Each structure stands twice: as C-alpha cells, then as structure tokens.
Amino acid sequence: MSPVREHIAKGHVSPRRDVPASIARPEYVGRAVATEWTGGDVHSAETIERIRESAKIAAGALQEVGRHVAPGVTTDELDRIGHEYVLDHGAYPSTLGYPGAAGRPPFPKALCTSVNEVICHGIPDSTVIYDGDIVKVDITAYKNDVHGDNCGSFIAGEGSAEAKQLVEVTHEAMMRGIKAARVGREVNIIGRVIEKYAQRFGYESVRNYTGHGVGPAFHTGLIIPHYDAAPMHDDVIEPGMVFTVEPMLCMGSQDSSEWDDGWTVVTNDRSWVAQFEHTIVITEEGAEVLTLP
C-alpha cells in the first residue's frame, strides 16, 4: 500500500552543489541584493535571440527533471538532475544563490520543487515524493548575460481525478493568458483572462506571486498579475517585451503563509496548487513562447 501524505514538512537540505568557475554567474550571486534593473522590458532582436537560447536550455531542463518525477524520488534528486542539465549546457541555474528578502539566506538550490500545498519557492531537500503528489518544478537558466524562466506541474504516478483536473486547467489558463497578451493591451488583461477561466472550476488564482519581466535581469520590476488587477498594472504591451506568465491555481483558498526558511510558501488551508510558466516575447502577431525545448 502506498504511504498516505498528510502535509508537506521541511526535510534536510543537502550542501550547495558546485558550479565550475568557467560558467558565468549572474551579478547577484554572492551579494545581499540583486542590482535594480533600469533597462526596461523591450529588448533588441539580438538580446531576444540570447534570451531564446537561455529559455531553450531552461525548457530542456524542465522536461528532463519532469521525466524523473516519480514516487520514491526525493526533491533533492530532482535538483541534482536539473543542476547538472543546466551546467552541461554551459548555463548557470539562476535560482542558485539568488538573494532572499532582507536578513534571509539566498536560495540554496538550482530549482524550486513545490509539492501539493506548497504554492511556490519550495527548497529541494530530503522530502520523498509520494504517489499522486503534484510536484511543481521551477527552473531558470542564465547564459550569455540573460535568463530564461519556466515551470511545470508533474503528477507522480497515477494521481487523482481532482489533481489531474487542476493541472490541466492551470496549463490551459496559462495558455489563454499568453494568447491574450497582444500589442496595445494592458498587461492586466492576462490576469483577467486567467482568473475568469479558473473561476469556472472553483479555483482561486494566487495574487501575492506574479509573472515578471525577464531577460538581462532575473526580475526586471514589471509585474504580470494572474487576477483581474485593473486599473492597476496598466503597463501597455509593446513589441519586443519579454516577460513570464506563470499562474498558480488553488483547489481551495489562495491565502498563504511563508515558512521560516524565508522561501517556502504554503496555502493556509493546505489546499493543493498547480503552476505552469512560460517566458514569452511579444511580436506584432501576438505572443511567442520562448521556453520550448
């Protein structure tokens, strides 16, 4: 008989994995805070091509890690797989050493593994994946001075009908949000579309964690909400803009709390969550997904 999971609890975090000196680090590694980005969110064709390469690496890493999500595997093993994949492609895993909030430690791993009621920023550790768990894997690659960011939700083993529906709806919500991202519209249209679709199934869309501008900076300051935030977040979508769309949908309430590790965020009612994320670039014809393997 498969073990029954009550709730996710902190496990043991292994030592930080090495990165060869030959692989370039983002500017924030080893610093208390990341440098504030002031370069805007519209990028040149040359920069977009560099982002495309980093995004492709991140997408390949996500696909490779997802293949290993299975009962009995630890989230630390998933981190090892993702870490090695990114390094093997000449890139740096962007979350490794990313500065925490004031007074909190930097993120210690190459990817986030957020299981079941963990909304986001779960730290890979000795936690063993159970049959039926939803495992969110968020991984970003940095190469040639730019980042590519993505996330996927994987069900370990067979999974329940409820878990499968949550994962399917969350992916569709992301894709609908991406489709809504067109030149001349405000970015809040993305969240409006996502939230309306989620509500059809009784799901809540997380408000405290958003999509963001990405490229030369991991987070540029541009906010992409996944709920109807109008009239706030009224940045107008322009050709050449690069940002993430990454909805997190909850079976129950999206109200959340952060663990004392300074990173892990869980739903207060312990309801399960799914998340998907793509990095996209805006063209005159619509949004192009960059995080494809």
Side-chain angles (χ1 to χ4, degrees), residues 71-125:
V73 175
T74 66
T75 55
D76 187 64
E77 173 65 6
L78 298 182
D79 179 76
R80 182 194 66 78
I81 293 165
H83 183 101
E84 292 181 359
Y85 184 99
V86 173
L87 266 57
D88 286 346
H89 289 77
Y92 184 92
S94 302
T95 59
L96 184 63
Y98 188 76
R104 298 181 182 180
F107 197 83
K109 294 294 178 181
L111 50 83
C112 302
T113 48
S114 304
V115 182
N116 298 343
E117 71 266 24
V118 179
I119 294 176
C120 59
H121 304 160
I123 298 173
D125 59 18

Side-chain angles (χ1 to χ4, degrees), residues 35-218:
T35 300
E36 183 177 354
W37 174 249
T38 58
D41 293 284
V42 175
H43 302 295
S44 68
E46 184 274 332
T47 299
I48 290 168
E49 285 307 304
R50 287 190 284 120
I51 297 171
R52 189 187 304 279
E53 181 180 359
S54 295
K56 184 178 178 66
I57 294 169
L62 179 63
Q63 186 177 63
E64 179 64 16
V65 174
R67 290 197 311 107
H68 292 84
V69 172
V73 175
T74 66
T75 55
D76 187 64
E77 173 65 6
L78 298 182
D79 179 76
R80 182 194 66 78
I81 293 165
H83 183 101
E84 292 181 359
Y85 184 99
V86 173
L87 266 57
D88 286 346
H89 289 77
Y92 184 92
S94 302
T95 59
L96 184 63
Y98 188 76
R104 298 181 182 180
F107 197 83
K109 294 294 178 181
L111 50 83
C112 302
T113 48
S114 304
V115 182
N116 298 343
E117 71 266 24
V118 179
I119 294 176
C120 59
H121 304 160
I123 298 173
D125 59 18
S126 59
T127 297
V128 175
I129 296 168
Y130 283 15
D131 185 62
D133 282 347
I134 295 177
V135 183
K136 283 88 71 184
V137 176
D138 192 336
I139 187 163
T140 307
Y142 175 81
K143 188 176 183 179
N144 297 324
D145 301 321
V146 294
H147 304 262
D149 188 7
N150 66 171
C151 176
S153 291
F154 304 92
I155 297 177
E158 178 61 24
S160 67
E162 292 81 6
K164 290 178 180 177
Q165 177 179 276
L166 178 64
V167 168
E168 290 169 1
V169 169
T170 305
H171 184 267
E172 176 65 15
M174 174 188 66
M175 296 309 296
R176 289 179 179 227
I178 290 171
K179 187 177 181 180
R182 301 190 68 87
V183 172
R185 292 177 170 176
E186 296 177 356
V187 298
N188 54 40
I189 185 65
I190 299 168
R192 187 175 314 131
V193 167
I194 288 170
E195 186 172 50
K196 283 186 176 180
Y197 185 69
Q199 288 172 342
R200 293 191 202 176
F201 302 87
Y203 300 149
E204 289 195 2
S205 184
V206 172
R207 296 185 170 215
N208 288 343
Y209 301 91
T210 69
H212 53 89
V214 65
F218 194 171

Side-chain angles (χ1 to χ4, degrees), residues 7-32:
H7 297 299
I8 299 299
K10 283 190 288 187
H12 171 72
V13 179
S14 66
R16 180 166 167 167
R17 292 184 166 89
D18 292 334
V19 176
S22 58
I23 292 180
R25 274 78 166 152
E27 56 81 22
Y28 52 75
V29 174
R31 301 180 56 183

